[in-house]
Amino acid sequence: KPGMARFVWIGVKRADKNLTSLIQAVAMLHEDVRNQLLVYLLGPNYKNNEAEYQALARKLGVEQNFRFMGPVYNQEKYDALESADVHVLPSLSEVFSLAMLDAMACAKPCLVSRGCGYEPWEKDDFFISFEPKAEAIAYAVEAMFARRAQWPQMGKNARAVIERDLNWPAIARTMIENYTRIVNA
């Protein structure tokens, strides 16, 4: 539908990815926001969790807001990210999300739960962070919608972080600097 915002999540549909809270959050959104939102959940169906997530979305009356899809790899994954407006990562815990790095490389603004490793880049204004609880996720989604006109710039900011800090030459430089400092201490 024209005017719909396409949020994308990519990963393995496991409990620690906190998709239950994401579905609950969508049910909590103000109706005007909810009516503009499609969330694409892309990834393997771990232990048939997808059926539970679909049942929850139906029970909460938000099944029309979700598209449950299988895994995507290689170019298909990047095509999915390119066609999205926002990347969402509601995980309970991540060391450092590769899916979010891919979204950043595709210049997408992000929603990310706290504790997923992106705190050092808060000043770069490409993401909104939240506690991994349904209420906090709903608030963050509404905050992202309030900034809809800024999504292109937030995406550019995400891409700039990749180009500045999160690429192999920059990482190698940082490692060499740290090892040199440690050896000379």
Side-chain angles (χ1 to χ4, degrees):
K1 287 165 112 172
M4 296 294 283
R6 297 171 314 274
F7 285 29
V8 67
W9 172 89
I10 299 176
V12 177
K13 294 171 186 149
R14 295 189 320 247
D16 63 306
K17 301 302 181 177
N18 203 24
L19 297 177
T20 297
S21 291
L22 177 60
I23 294 165
Q24 292 168 337
V26 170
M28 294 175 184
L29 294 173
H30 290 103
E31 188 177 357
D32 61 322
V33 172
R34 194 172 52 248
N35 289 340
Q36 299 176 57
L37 177 64
L38 280 175
V39 182
Y40 292 83
L41 303 177
L42 308 172
N45 185 10
Y46 184 77
K47 294 189 177 181
N48 203 32
N49 284 342
E50 189 173 290
E52 294 175 34
Y53 300 138
Q54 288 172 326
L56 178 61
R58 248 187 327 276
K59 177 183 169 193
L60 297 176
V62 293
E63 63 188 318
Q64 72 280 0
N65 295 100
F66 288 91
R67 300 294 182 269
F68 292 89
M69 305 177 86
V72 290
Y73 302 105
N74 304 316
Q75 189 60 47
E76 190 179 8
K77 174 180 66 171
Y78 294 103
D79 290 346
L81 285 166
E82 288 290 334
S83 70
D85 295 304
V86 174
H87 176 262
V88 59
L89 180 67
S91 292
L92 296 174
S93 175
E94 295 274 342
V95 174
F96 199 72
S97 169
L98 297 178
M100 186 156 153
L101 286 174
D102 287 338
M104 293 167 62
C106 291
K108 299 301 168 182
C110 300
L111 287 165
V112 59
S113 52
R114 290 191 180 98
C116 286
Y118 288 88
E119 292 80 6
W121 293 279
E122 283 185 277
K123 69 180 178 353
D124 289 288
D125 191 34
F126 67 89
F127 67 89
I128 295 174
S129 63
F130 51 85
E131 292 302 319
K133 298 178 176 134
E135 298 84 1
I137 297 168
Y139 181 81
V141 169
E142 291 189 354
M144 185 62 85
F145 264 87
R147 297 188 63 191
R148 196 167 186 172
Q150 298 166 22
W151 291 357
Q153 184 58 53
M154 291 175 76
K156 288 177 186 172
N157 295 347
R159 178 64 189 222
V161 169
I162 292 288
E163 292 171 0
R164 184 187 71 218
D165 299 335
L166 298 173
N167 59 73
W168 287 117
I171 292 167
R173 247 188 332 276
T174 300
M175 296 301 292
I176 291 167
E177 290 168 6
N178 284 328
Y179 290 149
T180 301
R181 181 182 47 79
I182 291 167
V183 167
N184 292 331

